[in-house]
Structures are given as structure tokens and as C-alpha cells.
Amino acid sequence: MDQVGVGIIGSGFVSEIHVEAFGRVPNARVVACASPHNAATFAAKHGIPKHFPDYRAMLELPEVDVVLLALPNYLHCQACEDAAGAGKHVICEKPLCPTLDEADRMIAACRRAGVHLMYAEELCFTPKYVRAKQLCDEGALGKLYLIKQSEKHDGPHMPWFWDVTQSGGGVTLDMGCHAFEYFRWMLGKPKALSVYADMGTFVHADKTRGDDDALIIVDFEGGCRGLAEESWAKQGGMDDRIELYGSEA
């Protein structure tokens, strides 16, 4: 296959990021998009040949090889099952879905169809995080005993995130998922032995029933702990960082 045809479901903030990223990949081309809101505008802005108000029509296109799910979390499962049923590979924005039952359904649907289900976690490709892993793998820090990852800002980029019936949760589900996968990737994906979570709604109770600030500690097999610090309540811009503590540094 010389070029992979991509169909994007969604036209919001994260879809903008993905369509620009695909534009930098020579062997991928966004051939269609679908959104009930502004698919035509999104397609015109990015030079996408075809657009649809209903993603199910897009799934009928033979030139679509892989579908990117960039729509509200509560819609991920059904869209994934539909895409797999149409023989399309699936790239799913984080978080995968709101519930474990839906995660099982998504995995099962893609296995039955013989297509890939790919979870779009970017921290494992971010240069500063990749460099940190290289240093750890080379033994620069000795044996790791604590990994901290934080992502903090003043709130989500799309208004539907505030509604837990659409998002499935608050900042822990929205941004903590980055930290948890980063911990697993850094440590070689060991089992989690225990989880402690302190979550609360401190600033945005007028907007959401979800948590807007959270501290989560995960104890992993092998003796390392991960501390996720996540917030929608921080003023003054983005704080995105990692701290690594080992026996030697």
C-alpha cells in the first residue's frame, strides 16, 4: 500500500491537530471527514476531498483504510464497532472509552474483523519524554523508584468535556490517562498492584460533576511508584512535566 487513506470522525480541537499531523506523513492522506456540525467547513479548510454529516456514510468509501475517532468519549465504542464492521482499522483518541465493558467491546469488534485498534497516546513519542526513557534505559538514574507526570491547565478545550454523561469523568479520565500509559511505557508495562486516588471538584463545580484536580498514586510490580498530578484548575497556562527518581540520580 503506497498511501494510507484516512477518514476522520469529528471536526473539533483534536481533529485540527490530527489533520495537520497527517499532513506531515508522506504515506498517509486524509481522504474524508465526518461530523454532524461543520464537516463541510472543516473539509474546505484542510483540502479534504469528501465530507459527510453521518460517519456511517464515510465508512462505505473504499479509499478509507483507517478511521480516526476524534469525537466525544461516549461515542467511541459505537463508532469503533461500526468502523471495524466496515473493515476499517481504528485509531482512537484518548481516553479509549468511559467504561471497561466498552473497552472489551471495542477490542472484541476489532479482533473479529481482523483490523487494528490503535490507542493514540502521544507522550510515548514526545521528544523530551523519549529522551528521558533513553536515559533510564541506559541506566543513568539507576533503579527507578518514583515517576511523576503532571498536566495542568485551566480546563478542557471542548465544552462537552464538562458534561460527565459525554466525557465519562473529569480530569483524571481526560488527562490522567496520559500519565498512566506513560508510567507503563517507562517501566516495560508491569502490572499495577494498587491505586490511590484523591480527586475533587475545587474550582469548576458550576460547570461539572467531574473532578477538576486529582492526585493518583499507582504502585507497580517491580517496586516503582507513579504519581499523576492532573488539573483543570490551574491558572496561568499549561504545566506539562515529568520528574524521575532513581537510586543513582
Side-chain angles (χ1 to χ4, degrees):
M1 185 181 296
D2 294 330
Q3 196 167 56
V4 175
V6 180
I8 297 179
I9 304 177
S11 58
F13 172 82
V14 75
S15 297
E16 293 280 349
I17 294 174
H18 280 288
V19 75
E20 291 177 14
F22 279 123
R24 299 187 177 102
V25 181
N27 60 339
R29 180 175 179 237
V30 179
V31 296
C33 65
S35 171
H37 305 296
N38 60 345
T41 302
F42 186 80
K45 178 180 179 181
H46 296 287
I48 301 171
K50 297 180 181 180
H51 58 85
F52 303 87
D54 187 333
Y55 72 80
R56 288 168 292 191
M58 185 184 75
L59 296 178
E60 297 177 6
L61 296 177
E63 61 266 38
V64 172
D65 302 301
V66 59
V67 171
L68 170 70
L69 307 185
L71 67 173
N73 303 339
Y74 78 106
L75 298 172
H76 285 185
C77 182
Q78 186 62 60
C80 176
E81 290 179 322
D82 291 341
K88 313 299 184 184
H89 300 291
V90 179
I91 302 172
C92 185
E93 248 301 329
K94 62 82 190 173
L96 188 68
C97 51
T99 70
L100 183 59
D101 176 66
E102 289 189 349
D104 290 339
R105 285 171 53 190
M106 293 168 71
I107 293 168
C110 290
R111 280 180 175 162
R112 283 195 304 271
V115 297
H116 294 298
L117 172 57
M118 296 164 279
Y119 179 64
E121 175 50 64
E122 80 270 26
L123 291 196
C124 306
F125 300 93
T126 304
K128 64 181 180 180
Y129 289 166
V130 170
R131 179 56 181 150
K133 180 167 172 54
Q134 289 173 340
L135 289 170
C136 290
D137 290 346
E138 292 166 3
L141 279 68
K143 180 177 172 56
L144 287 176
Y145 64 85
L146 174 63
I147 303 175
K148 295 170 65 176
Q149 195 278 331
S150 66
E151 185 174 351
K152 303 178 182 182
H153 51 67
D154 62 359
H157 301 292
M158 296 294 287
W160 59 261
F161 273 98
W162 297 115
D163 181 357
V164 296
T165 64
Q166 296 187 63
S167 62
V171 70
T172 300
L173 189 63
D174 179 31
M175 299 186 329
C177 58
H178 288 303
F180 306 141
E181 184 55 23
Y182 180 70
F183 298 155
R184 295 178 68 247
W185 177 65
M186 283 289 295
L187 298 171
K189 301 196 173 182
K191 292 181 179 179
L193 301 178
S194 67
V195 178
Y196 167 81
D198 187 326
M199 305 153 62
T201 311
F202 300 96
V203 175
H204 298 299
D206 60 325
K207 300 185 186 71
T208 185
R209 293 188 290 114
D211 52 303
D212 63 12
D213 193 86
L215 301 172
I216 306 99
I217 300 173
V218 185
D219 281 306
F220 288 100
E221 197 172 55
C224 189
R225 296 161 296 160
L227 171 58
E229 302 177 355
E230 314 301 331
S231 185
W232 282 343
K234 177 189 175 293
Q235 302 302 309
M238 170 71 82
D239 182 0
D240 175 11
R241 70 177 71 191
I242 55 169
E243 297 176 21
L244 306 171
Y245 297 84
S247 59
E248 304 298 324

